[in-house]
Amino acid sequence: MPASRMQQTVALGTEFWSDSCALPELAEAIGHGASGATSNPVIVGAAVSADPAKWLPVLQRLLREHPADTEDDAAWRLIEAVAKEAAALLAPLYDRTGGRQGYLSVQVSPKLYRSTERMIAHGLSLAALAPNIALKCPSTKEGIAAMEELTARGINVNATVSFTVSQALATAEALERGIDRALREGFSRERLHPYVTIMVGRVDDHMKRVAERDSVPLEPGCLDWAGIAVFKKAHQLFLQRRFRSTLLSAAYRHSLHWSELIGEGVIQSIPYAWWKQFNGSDLTPRQTLTVPVAPGVVETLHHKLPDFRRAYDEEGMRPEAFAAYGASVHTLRQFLGGNQQLVEWVRDQML
């Protein structure tokens, strides 16, 4: 048997990604079987602030080379520099697997979430950083259209700001159209690997906020199954409909987000502190992905929380409503805030 819990998880068919682009953390994750990584302005900001000795000289060089840059320009050059180095760590795996694994997800600016055209333009720019870049766009109506177009141009994408079965299905259907268009243009199917994220922990967070706001009485622990139930439902439908994109779970809050989503054909993108905790646990991984959540738990959530029904039901929301869903609003605000924090850090260095 593989030595570590994460290596055992990979042996059971689940891809393990590092939900961090900090170079030491990513290198350690690769040593335990990680085959990809994710980033966004929040994650990059954490990586940069955790290692100023590495990244401050990089920023200072960029500022010297581009003296007319605004602080926003400089922040994005720094994000691109971090992405290039993280992608380089994954490049040997990308080469060894013929482009099947080894991707770094890089998010388009969260400020562009209302504009399909501007997300496409920024995505094309970011995709040019390295061959093993996958572009992250939000699963809003505008973001889904951007991901379809990027896929049609042969660029791999990873849907983010995604919490519901209806979002996952709408995104996967758009990606199917994008894949078909790409194949007609002569792109290789072996190099097309679109991903659809469900932020399972942020589903739980949202249900907990709603339950507290509305004073909904629930058994202890019940809400910890909300994101897992949504992910398992989406996985079942992805199999039935033979979608060619891969489901990815993210935003970890507790061990069930790891132990209950192990199985073939999905990805777990896990933050450094969480996978280290899982790796040191005495829980032996087993295939749990297709094991249903207890019906009573799903029925309780479905009955008591309208927002869970919107997340769990196939037609819980139309694309026009995705951006206004509570978890989407909360996450977009956090991403925009994280982007601003990075800009402010860059501003401090500029001044």
Side-chain angles (χ1 to χ4, degrees), residues 203-219 222-223 301 304-308:
V203 177
D204 292 2
D205 293 346
H206 177 59
M207 300 307 161
K208 290 174 182 179
R209 287 192 298 268
V210 170
E212 181 177 2
R213 182 196 68 197
D214 298 341
S215 300
V216 178
L218 291 163
E219 291 294 324
C222 183
L223 291 167
L301 292 171
K304 293 192 174 185
L305 294 174
D307 266 23
F308 179 77

Side-chain angles (χ1 to χ4, degrees), residues 17 94 98-108 123-124 126-128 130-137 146-159 175 179 182 187-196 244-246:
W17 282 20
Y94 175 84
R100 189 176 63 82
Q101 296 180 332
Y103 287 93
L104 173 73
S105 291
V106 181
Q107 186 168 329
V108 301
L124 292 171
L126 293 174
N132 57 329
I133 295 290
L135 274 304
K136 293 175 77 173
C137 297
M147 287 186 282
E148 178 179 342
E149 180 61 29
L150 289 166
T151 302
R153 300 190 191 192
I155 296 171
N156 287 311
V157 299
N158 180 4
L175 296 178
I179 291 170
F187 289 101
S188 168
R189 173 68 184 97
E190 288 70 27
R191 297 278 176 160
L192 290 172
H193 300 287
Y195 308 101
V196 178
R244 288 169 287 183
S245 49
T246 302

Side-chain angles (χ1 to χ4, degrees), residues 278-311:
F278 302 156
N279 226 27
S281 76
D282 57 4
L283 178 64
T284 301
R286 61 186 183 88
Q287 290 187 325
T288 52
L289 181 61
T290 58
V291 178
V293 175
V297 171
V298 175
E299 289 168 6
T300 296
L301 292 171
H302 203 270
H303 174 67
K304 293 192 174 185
L305 294 174
D307 266 23
F308 179 77
R309 293 198 292 273
R310 297 174 74 195

Side-chain angles (χ1 to χ4, degrees), residues 94-322:
Y94 175 84
D95 294 335
R96 189 164 63 248
T97 62
R100 189 176 63 82
Q101 296 180 332
Y103 287 93
L104 173 73
S105 291
V106 181
Q107 186 168 329
V108 301
S109 171
K111 293 182 178 182
L112 307 179
Y113 70 94
R114 296 180 64 187
S115 173
T116 295
E117 292 73 20
R118 295 184 70 183
M119 280 189 273
I120 292 170
H122 194 200
L124 292 171
S125 173
L126 293 174
L129 295 174
N132 57 329
I133 295 290
L135 274 304
K136 293 175 77 173
C137 297
S139 279
T140 59
K141 182 180 178 180
E142 296 81 5
I144 291 170
M147 287 186 282
E148 178 179 342
E149 180 61 29
L150 289 166
T151 302
R153 300 190 191 192
I155 296 171
N156 287 311
V157 299
N158 180 4
T160 187
V161 192
S162 178
F163 318 94
T164 70
V165 171
S166 55
Q167 280 179 290
L169 295 179
T171 303
E173 288 164 357
L175 296 178
E176 288 296 304
R177 296 191 295 270
I179 291 170
D180 288 341
R181 289 170 58 195
L183 295 178
R184 288 196 295 269
E185 291 297 320
F187 289 101
S188 168
R189 173 68 184 97
E190 288 70 27
R191 297 278 176 160
L192 290 172
H193 300 287
Y195 308 101
V196 178
T197 293
I198 294 180
M199 307 179 90
V200 291
R202 288 180 178 268
V203 177
D204 292 2
D205 293 346
H206 177 59
M207 300 307 161
K208 290 174 182 179
R209 287 192 298 268
V210 170
E212 181 177 2
R213 182 196 68 197
D214 298 341
S215 300
V216 178
L218 291 163
E219 291 294 324
C222 183
L223 291 167
D224 291 332
W225 291 93
I228 294 168
V230 169
F231 191 92
K232 290 189 180 217
K233 174 79 170 287
H235 174 254
Q236 181 183 39
L237 293 169
F238 268 48
L239 290 178
Q240 291 174 1
R241 301 182 188 189
R242 298 184 178 181
F243 288 142
R244 288 169 287 183
S245 49
T246 302
L247 269 177
L248 181 152
S249 62
Y252 282 57
R253 301 293 187 264
H254 48 74
S255 63
L256 294 176
H257 289 149
W258 162 57
S259 63
E260 286 294 325
L261 299 176
I262 298 173
E264 294 184 2
V266 298
I267 298 169
Q268 292 201 29
S269 182
I270 312 177
Y272 180 78
W274 278 111
W275 76 254
K276 290 283 287 185
Q277 178 180 318
F278 302 156
N279 226 27
S281 76
D282 57 4
L283 178 64
T284 301
R286 61 186 183 88
Q287 290 187 325
T288 52
L289 181 61
T290 58
V291 178
V293 175
V297 171
V298 175
E299 289 168 6
T300 296
L301 292 171
H302 203 270
H303 174 67
K304 293 192 174 185
L305 294 174
D307 266 23
F308 179 77
R309 293 198 292 273
R310 297 174 74 195
Y312 187 77
D313 293 351
E314 291 181 45
E315 299 181 0
M317 285 190 294
R318 300 291 300 163
E320 294 78 10
F322 292 163

Side-chain angles (χ1 to χ4, degrees), residues 41 44 74-84 106 126 129 339 342:
V44 171
W76 272 101
R77 290 191 196 277
L78 182 60
I79 290 171
E80 291 175 0
V82 174
K84 285 181 180 179
V106 181
L126 293 174
L129 295 174
N339 182 81
L342 180 60

